[in-house]
Amino acid sequence: ASFERHPHPRLSPEVERIVMESLNAIESSQREELNAHTLEAGQKQTELEQQHRLANNIADESTTETESLHAVKKSKKKRKSPPPPEVIQHIRNSRAALKVLKADHCTQREKFIEERTVLERMVLQRGLGGGLTCAQWVESGPEVDK
């Protein structure tokens, strides 16, 4: 009995390029969505904090005159006050929304991998680099710009 040696099955370079482009597309769209969410949440939090500071400054102006006489006598460090309830609620809401967004992205990545053939998955895994498997990529997703 003799065995014939056949080359391993491979994808054409064109199909490899298409698979890698689709990987890059899904990663970039998810990265953009995460960055947009983070930026929007940060801006909203800053707005809320500024509104709170303005409200406190208006209320403090009336008491500042009497406190200025006492402040000369005693110089104490000001303690940082806790954030207002609106800011705390915003932080909680943005974290919950981020958790939902990440779960949606994980589902998209899982579906993306499931739709690929074995050869395409091999190309994807090679393209992910850094010893990252497809399953790990599904769970962790793309790197987010800080």
Side-chain angles (χ1 to χ4, degrees):
S2 66
F3 297 99
E4 293 182 27
R5 293 185 69 144
H6 295 287
H8 291 292
R10 297 189 131 188
L11 291 177
S12 69
E14 180 64 23
V15 174
E16 282 188 26
R17 185 184 60 75
I18 291 170
V19 169
M20 290 309 298
E21 284 177 357
S22 62
L23 172 70
N24 293 336
I26 194 169
E27 278 192 332
S28 65
S29 70
Q30 289 182 357
R31 191 177 296 118
E32 287 174 12
E33 287 178 11
L34 284 173
N35 288 338
H37 172 79
T38 304
L39 182 65
E40 182 181 321
Q43 289 174 344
K44 179 71 174 169
Q45 183 176 345
T46 304
E47 278 179 31
L48 289 172
E49 288 172 347
Q50 286 177 348
Q51 289 173 358
H52 181 69
R53 272 191 233 116
L54 287 175
N56 281 348
N57 287 344
I58 292 171
D60 288 345
E61 284 178 3
S62 60
T63 58
T64 304
E65 295 171 3
T66 57
E67 289 179 357
S68 63
L69 297 173
H70 298 293
V72 172
K73 295 177 184 176
K74 299 178 185 179
S75 61
K76 293 183 179 180
K77 290 184 178 179
K78 284 189 174 181
R79 293 178 72 187
K80 187 175 181 180
S81 62
E86 302 87 30
V87 173
I88 293 172
Q89 189 60 39
H90 168 70
I91 292 170
R92 287 180 182 152
N93 292 342
S94 66
R95 286 180 181 163
L98 183 63
K99 190 174 182 178
V100 169
L101 181 64
K102 285 184 176 185
D104 289 344
H105 286 175
C106 185
T107 305
Q108 289 173 4
R109 290 188 297 270
E110 188 174 14
K111 184 180 177 194
F112 176 77
I113 293 295
E114 286 175 356
E115 293 173 347
R116 303 290 159 227
T117 64
V118 173
L119 292 176
E120 289 173 335
R121 288 181 191 179
M122 290 172 66
V123 169
L124 287 172
Q125 192 152 337
R126 201 172 346 122
L128 291 171
L132 197 63
T133 65
C134 290
Q136 291 170 331
W137 176 76
V138 165
E139 292 300 316
S140 65
E143 295 288 323
V144 179
D145 300 335
K146 297 274 179 173

